[in-house]
Amino acid sequence: MRLLLLCMAAVLGTQSASTAPVETPHLAITVVPVASAAAAGARLDLVLEVAPKPRMHVYSPQQKDYIPIALTLQPAAAFSIQPAVYPKPEKYVFAPLKETQLVYSKPFRITQPVTIARAPALRAAGLLPGAPLTISGKLRYQACDDAICYMPKEVPVSWRITLGAVSTKED
């Protein structure tokens, strides 16, 4: 019975519910919890769900000459950071300037791959199995509607991860 419950928890754990969104005047930003413990050397995808409010859009990282949305993590020895992955943007025609811009105006996800450090680095940082690891960062964006662009904003974000097994041998 215990094995069955553990198996069910493992399957259900991969479908972890999102936390409550952080609301700004322009966006709702949800940090999606990491579903399971992270072992030394494991690659994880940290996920942000971003929902622009009605009539709002933010610029894609591909858009030149405007302030794009950007997720930046605080570096730490316990993990390495790979480039964030953004979805394909929409084309938006801004008639007053006769410009076509690359934006997000519908809900979208940003995926931030990270790799947990190997066991020796985790042990050197005093991180043991079961220890919490907080990965913090910020989401910077400039939102616009069909008439004006608002001042850029930065929203702090963080993920709390439980470290899995850290072996005693050198990895």
Side-chain angles (χ1 to χ4, degrees):
M1 180 68 168
R2 186 170 194 274
L3 180 59
L4 176 61
L5 291 174
L6 288 173
C7 289
M8 287 176 59
V11 170
L12 294 174
T14 61
Q15 300 172 1
S16 176
S18 299
T19 60
V22 172
E23 298 278 339
T24 74
H26 320 105
L27 307 174
I29 303 160
T30 304
V31 173
V32 178
V34 175
S36 59
R43 182 182 180 273
L44 299 174
D45 285 336
L46 306 178
V47 176
L48 278 183
E49 293 177 343
V50 181
K53 300 235 174 128
R55 298 185 23 214
M56 293 287 170
H57 64 268
V58 294
Y59 294 104
S60 159
Q62 299 169 1
Q63 179 63 51
K64 305 295 181 222
D65 301 324
Y66 289 89
I67 299 171
I69 193 162
L71 175 60
T72 307
L73 297 183
Q74 176 101 27
F79 59 90
S80 60
I81 304 167
Q82 288 77 49
V85 178
Y86 298 84
K88 181 179 177 183
E90 314 160 39
K91 288 185 179 179
Y92 172 77
V93 177
F94 186 59
L97 295 178
K98 298 180 183 161
E99 289 182 352
T100 299
Q101 302 162 345
L102 300 173
V103 303
Y104 303 115
S105 62
K106 298 177 184 115
F108 64 98
R109 284 183 150 208
I110 301 171
T111 303
Q112 176 64 70
V114 298
T115 302
I116 302 301
R118 293 281 184 201
L122 291 176
R123 283 193 304 276
L127 295 169
L128 303 171
L133 170 63
T134 300
I135 299 178
S136 299
K138 64 183 176 184
L139 183 68
R140 183 172 192 258
Y141 70 90
Q142 181 174 31
C144 302
D145 60 23
D146 56 353
I148 63 170
C149 287
Y150 300 90
M151 293 296 293
K153 288 212 173 277
E154 288 187 359
V155 178
V157 295
S158 65
W159 291 261
R160 187 177 172 102
I161 299 164
T162 300
L163 290 175
V166 178
S167 68
T168 55
K169 66 179 176 73
E170 292 298 311
D171 298 56

